[in-house]
């Protein structure tokens, strides 16, 4: 039996070893060997048990000489002792010994110049299908000559003893960068594998002068090569606004920005399914077919038809599929330097403008801040919205200090003349509960005006609380709403909440070691 050298990971006498099997074979294997079903469109459906999303408290970076000096340690990047990692690594090898083992050898990075070879070793065929979808699939020749740079081993069935292993729970996600190993233990949520590879790339790419970005990217379908980036946390509209039938999709979530342009890190998409409809997101809806992997969606036992509104298993229902399933994808997944960069935020305070044009320093400030907000009323006594900040719009996946990523962004937008806009998809005319959500047609009109260059050639005014430049006009958008204070009835309440949000920004930025010119570009407390 061919074992492809897995003995070096401590895996001995496996029952069988299957390498780079096609999606059809992996789907059939999953149906035979693990709890799984097909949906009415032929997609493979699994449930991930107790872990239906990422587990940040269980994610660690191994404390190693030569690596530790580079990491931006903190609540997101937590240290893990090397001896405990070695203990868990040994347990992983012993656990997989004598079992079925599924390998996928593929790449992260659509630009061959910055590509990283990743070997994935899975306990489950369904998880191997996931990584077949999400990494870039090798050609026959590339597979024949394949040599892994890094190895990811995922064993959801192995449960750890926190006392013995030094973990917070039975699960652990461990990046051992010197040893070039990633372990995903105890969790069947496939997103842990995806984001572990992204974290790895965000460690490696800046060392080559490349900015790793948690964003979507699209480009014009004509020959202009007009490329745009969309940053935004969950609920800001990143997926909806970047999925434009008039533009080609480079990728939906993870990209690098090099001296040559933009490239997708992945070979597939991992989309949310909650409340999915054919009307509003036809590309994603149509991609849920044979070869896709669906997680935690409830289906009818008779018809096998999904109910995308059912939240009984989790709010975080998901589907993974190769980017080939999207009709207007860009092949290969690369683009020119972005003409437009968009930061999306859903401001529940209702005080940020629908759109503002940012200076280079403001762009660096709002990039590091990674702001959105949660609505009020989630806890007793909380009447104001709650500010949420996620470093560089992807705090859990940024191993290096934030200043590294901010500096790279500033250099690239200056060198390539990219226009940067902050777009509020949240509330207008009042905070959540008083005002209303920004209309999607108005936001789409703003995005269009940013992409076609219209917003670069209109008159602006600067509002007093955040120092943001607000356009006085925008095609197909009522001019009155562009300055948010105009549409508030209670002007004093607007002032109060604007001061509160400005204070939140000013307090949050203190935790970063940033140049004064970046800090001063933000709102003052």
């Amino acid at each position: 039996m061919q074992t492809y050298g897995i003995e070096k990971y401590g895996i001995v006498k496996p029952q069988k070893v299957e390498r780079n099997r096609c999606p059809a074979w992996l789907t059939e294997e999953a149906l035979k060997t693990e709890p799984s079903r097909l949906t009415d469109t032929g997609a493979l459906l699994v449930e991930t048990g107790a872990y239906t999303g990422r587990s940040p408290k269980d994610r660690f970076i191994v404390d190693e000489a030569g690596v530790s000096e580079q990491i931006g340690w903190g609540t997101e990047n937590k240290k893990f002792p090397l001896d405990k990692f070695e203990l868990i690594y040994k347990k992983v090898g012993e656990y997989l010994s004598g079992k079925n083992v599924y390998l996928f050898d593929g790449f992260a990075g659509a630009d061959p110049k910055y590509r990283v070879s990743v070997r994935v070793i899975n306990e489950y065929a369904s998880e191997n299908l996931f990584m077949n979808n999400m990494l870039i699939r090798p050609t026959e020749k590339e597979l024949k000559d394949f040599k892994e740079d890094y190895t990811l081993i995922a064993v959801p069935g192995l449960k750890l003893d926190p006392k013995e292993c030094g973990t917070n729970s039975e699960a652990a996600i461990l990046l051992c960068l010197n040893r070039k190993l990633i372990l995903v233990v105890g969790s069947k949520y496939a997103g842990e594998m995806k984001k572990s590879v992204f974290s790895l790339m965000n460690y490696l790419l800046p060392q080559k002068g490349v900015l790793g970005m948690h964003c979507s990217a699209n480009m014009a379908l004509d020959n202009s090569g007009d490329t745009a980036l969309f940053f935004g946390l969950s609920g800001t509209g990143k997926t909806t606004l970047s999925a434009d039938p008039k533009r080609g999709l480079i990728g939906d979530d993870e990209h690098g920005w090099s001296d040559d342009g933009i490239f997708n890190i992945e070979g597939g998409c991992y989309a949310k399914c909650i409340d999915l409809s054919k009307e509003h997101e036809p590309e994603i809806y149509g991609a849920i077919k044979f070869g896709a992997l669906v997680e935690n969606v409830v289906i009818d036992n008779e018809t096998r038809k999904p109910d995308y509104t059912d939240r009984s298993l989790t709010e975080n229902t998901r589907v993974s599929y190769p980017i080939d399933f999207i009709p207007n994808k860009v092949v290969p997944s690369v683009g020119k330097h972005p003409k437009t960069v968009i930061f999306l935020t859903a401001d529940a305070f209702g005080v940020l403008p629908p759109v503002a044009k940012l200076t280079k320093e403001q762009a660096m400030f709002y990039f590091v801040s990674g702001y959105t907000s949660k609505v009020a009323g989630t806890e007793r006594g909380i009447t104001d919205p709650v500010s949420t900040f996620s470093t560089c719009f992807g705090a859990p996946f940024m191993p290096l200090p934030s200043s590294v990523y901010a500096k790279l962004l500033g250099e690239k937008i200056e060198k390539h003349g990219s226009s940067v806009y902050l777009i509020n998809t949240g509330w207008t005319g009042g905070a959540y509960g008083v005002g209303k959500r920004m209309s999607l047609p108005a936001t789409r009109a703003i995005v269009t005006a940013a992409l076609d260059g219209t917003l670069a050639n209109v008159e602006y005014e600067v509002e007093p609380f955040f120092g943001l430049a607000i356009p006085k006009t925008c095609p197909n958008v009522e001019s009155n709403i562009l300055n948010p204070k105009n549409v508030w009835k209670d002007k004093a309440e607007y002032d109060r909440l604007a001061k509160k949000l400005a204070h939140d920004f000013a307090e949050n930025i203190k935790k970063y070691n940033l140049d004064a010119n970046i800090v001063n570009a933000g709102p003052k407390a």
Side-chain angles (χ1 to χ4, degrees), residues 78-91:
K78 300 181 293 295
K79 290 184 179 181
F80 196 79
L82 182 59
D83 62 329
K84 293 297 186 183
F85 172 82
E86 296 287 5
L87 172 66
I88 295 171
Y89 181 40
K90 184 180 178 185
K91 287 180 179 292

Side-chain angles (χ1 to χ4, degrees), residues 145-331:
D145 300 333
F146 189 89
K147 188 179 188 311
E148 69 273 19
D149 298 317
Y150 288 81
T151 301
L152 186 157
I153 309 175
V155 284
L158 175 60
K159 307 302 179 185
L160 301 174
D161 178 349
K163 279 190 177 179
E164 178 191 11
C165 298
T167 57
N168 286 329
S169 73
E170 65 183 10
I173 298 89
L174 304 166
L175 278 70
C176 190
L177 296 164
N178 266 351
R179 294 282 304 275
K180 299 188 173 184
L181 287 167
I182 300 170
L183 304 181
V184 178
V185 183
S187 170
K188 201 182 177 188
Y189 177 67
E192 296 285 18
M193 295 185 290
K194 165 190 161 72
K195 291 304 187 186
S196 293
V197 173
F198 187 40
S199 299
L200 167 66
M201 294 298 281
N202 284 325
Y203 170 74
L204 296 174
L205 290 175
Q207 298 175 44
K208 300 177 181 180
V210 179
L211 174 62
M213 304 174 293
H214 188 208
C215 68
S216 58
N218 67 23
M219 63 185 290
L221 292 173
D222 57 25
N223 294 322
S224 67
D226 168 21
T227 303
L229 304 179
F230 296 79
F231 292 83
L233 301 177
S234 181
T236 60
K238 180 180 68 166
T239 301
T240 301
L241 292 168
S242 62
D244 185 339
K246 297 177 183 177
R247 295 174 67 85
L249 183 69
I250 297 173
D252 78 328
D253 197 51
E254 302 175 5
H255 294 85
W257 187 351
S258 73
D259 289 340
D260 302 313
I262 300 298
F263 62 88
N264 193 351
I265 288 173
E266 300 182 295
C269 303
Y270 191 41
K272 286 187 176 180
C273 293
I274 204 69
D275 296 328
L276 180 67
S277 71
K278 188 175 183 179
E279 178 188 4
H280 291 113
E281 295 177 282
E283 293 87 2
I284 297 172
Y285 191 91
I288 303 179
K289 58 186 179 182
F290 189 75
L293 176 70
V294 179
E295 291 179 320
N296 301 313
V297 169
V298 175
I299 63 172
D300 185 277
N301 285 329
E302 295 298 322
T303 65
R304 297 294 194 266
K305 189 173 180 61
D307 180 356
Y308 295 120
T309 65
D310 193 319
R311 291 162 161 77
S312 57
L313 293 177
T314 179
E315 182 90 17
N316 189 37
T317 53
R318 292 275 184 171
V319 59
S320 79
Y321 49 85
I323 199 167
D324 298 348
F325 283 14
I326 297 294
N328 62 328
K329 75 276 185 182
V330 174
V331 181

Side-chain angles (χ1 to χ4, degrees), residues 61 107 233 297 311 331 333 368 382 439 446 464:
I61 298 175
F107 304 109
L233 301 177
V297 169
R311 291 162 161 77
V331 181
S333 300
V368 170
I382 295 181
S439 82
I446 289 168

